[in-house]
């Protein structure tokens, strides 16, 4: 039900909606929902992370590189690397950390 909850909250949200999907002792799995045009501004992950696009089309920005990611594309995010994610269309991403 987590994805359905995110999509419902996105109907009225002005920013991306995040929810924990699964948390263990040494890992975390998060879901982020975006409406077209929403952006998760520069931030850092404190653990190595993998971003997977479940649906949609996003731009991942880290340092001097922009990577366009569509459904089922993925990218590794190093720990402590400043990065941002912007939605080119309504999108849902899954992040695994740890």
């Amino acid at each position: 039900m987590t994805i359905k909850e995110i999509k419902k909250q996105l109907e009225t949200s002005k920013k991306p909606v995040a929810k924990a999907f699964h948390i263990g002792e040494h890992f975390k799995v998060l879901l982020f929902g975006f409406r077209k045009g929403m952006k998760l501004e520069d931030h850092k992950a404190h653990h190595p992370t993998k971003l997977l696009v479940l649906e949609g089309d996003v731009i991942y920005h880290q340092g001097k590189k922009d990577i366009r990611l569509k459904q089922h594309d993925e990218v590794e995010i190093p720990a402590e690397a400043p990065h941002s994610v912007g939605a080119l269309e309504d999108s849902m991403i899954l992040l695994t950390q740890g």
Side-chain angles (χ1 to χ4, degrees):
M1 301 301 274
T2 310
I3 291 175
K4 289 180 181 180
E5 291 172 15
I6 290 171
K7 287 186 175 189
K8 182 69 175 166
Q9 288 182 11
L10 278 172
E11 292 174 7
T12 57
S13 182
K14 294 184 183 341
K15 59 184 180 178
V17 175
K19 291 208 175 287
F21 184 68
H22 189 64
I23 298 175
E25 190 173 333
H26 301 288
F27 72 92
K28 192 181 329 183
V29 180
L30 305 169
L31 289 164
F32 280 81
F34 298 79
R35 282 197 332 259
K36 181 179 179 177
M38 287 182 167
K39 185 174 184 183
L40 194 57
E41 298 295 338
D42 268 355
H43 63 284
K44 295 178 183 178
H46 301 297
H47 302 282
T49 302
K50 182 173 264 191
L51 181 159
L52 170 68
V53 179
L54 298 176
E55 58 187 55
D57 189 358
V58 301
I59 291 286
Y60 170 79
H61 175 79
Q62 179 188 321
K64 295 183 180 182
K65 65 181 174 184
D66 287 323
I67 302 171
R68 187 171 184 174
L69 302 165
K70 294 186 178 192
Q71 187 174 31
H72 304 148
D73 289 340
E74 59 192 62
V75 67
E76 297 276 346
I77 304 171
E80 305 302 331
H83 61 280
S84 64
V85 179
L88 299 173
E89 62 184 52
D90 292 356
S91 301
M92 185 74 55
I93 64 172
L94 181 122
L95 297 172
T96 55
Q97 297 182 328

